[in-house]
Amino acid sequence: TKERKATRGQADKTGRGGGQEGGAVARDVQRYNVKVGNAPSFGPKDALVTIVEFSDFECPFCNRGANTIDMVKKVYGDKVRVAFRHRPLSFHRNAHPAAQASMAAHEQGKFWQFHDKLFANFRNLNRDNYLKWAQELGLDVARFQKALDSGKYKAYVDADDRYAQQMGAGGT
């Protein structure tokens, strides 16, 4: 696969990034217009920077990445938008059900709170805990459980995963 690069380099004397003097961007940098779609997101839609994160709730490296995203949120506030797209890795057996549970929470306006519960407990992902956390967050647990039982968000998570692969994300 082609190597995917983001613009890199230190900010120049004017404070602009880009890796070259004056903030110019190197011509060999490949860019991709990664769509946010209906992904859960925070920050304004017209933010100068949008980060589209492809993540797996069972992945220890994604757990660390979630901490980085929290820091970005605190430091940059409304200057950045972050969108969360699912990339449940096949060898993480609880990642896909966790992704579906997060979308069931999103349906009730609690994606980010549930996201935080999942990452805080990434070694203990299971249905009983999803239901417990749904109750702790004040979700309509019967509605949440119905979404889980019906597989309502399976196709959504699968579509995110396929899209991640189309964008060249071999992992998270």
Side-chain angles (χ1 to χ4, degrees):
T1 64
K2 292 182 183 178
E3 182 178 342
R4 310 289 198 232
K5 295 181 190 176
T7 303
R8 56 187 161 157
Q10 300 296 320
D12 65 10
K13 293 175 186 169
T14 66
R16 296 182 305 243
Q20 293 183 359
E21 192 170 338
V25 176
R27 300 244 183 252
D28 67 338
V29 174
Q30 201 165 11
R31 290 186 175 76
Y32 295 88
N33 183 15
V34 180
K35 299 193 181 343
V36 172
N38 294 324
S41 64
F42 64 80
K45 290 184 179 191
D46 63 348
L48 182 61
V49 174
T50 296
I51 299 169
V52 180
E53 175 185 13
F54 290 95
S55 193
D56 170 330
F57 288 113
E58 195 172 1
C59 172
F61 300 105
C62 294
N63 189 9
R64 284 193 235 158
N67 293 327
T68 301
I69 293 296
D70 283 344
M71 185 178 67
V72 167
K73 190 180 191 177
K74 287 175 187 158
V75 172
Y76 295 101
D78 284 344
K79 294 178 184 175
V80 68
R81 179 181 186 199
V82 175
F84 187 98
R85 298 206 56 179
H86 301 280
R87 180 73 173 96
L89 301 174
S90 61
F91 51 89
H92 289 149
R93 67 182 178 88
N94 298 308
H96 205 292
Q100 292 179 58
S102 75
M103 294 310 295
H106 181 54
E107 177 182 299
Q108 297 186 46
K110 299 277 186 160
F111 174 82
W112 294 104
Q113 295 90 331
F114 204 83
H115 161 284
D116 293 348
K117 289 273 189 188
L118 291 169
F119 276 126
N121 299 282
F122 76 102
R123 295 185 199 282
N124 297 304
L125 301 178
N126 61 61
R127 181 181 172 77
D128 289 341
N129 282 337
Y130 305 152
L131 295 172
K132 178 178 93 173
W133 300 328
Q135 183 163 6
E136 288 174 6
L137 293 172
L139 297 178
D140 177 337
V141 177
R143 183 175 159 199
F144 179 85
Q145 187 171 354
K146 183 177 178 184
L148 291 182
D149 292 345
S150 69
K152 181 175 184 176
Y153 292 104
K154 182 183 184 320
Y156 180 92
V157 173
D158 288 343
D160 262 10
D161 192 31
R162 280 191 306 276
Y163 184 64
Q165 292 175 55
Q166 290 170 359
M167 290 288 100
T172 52

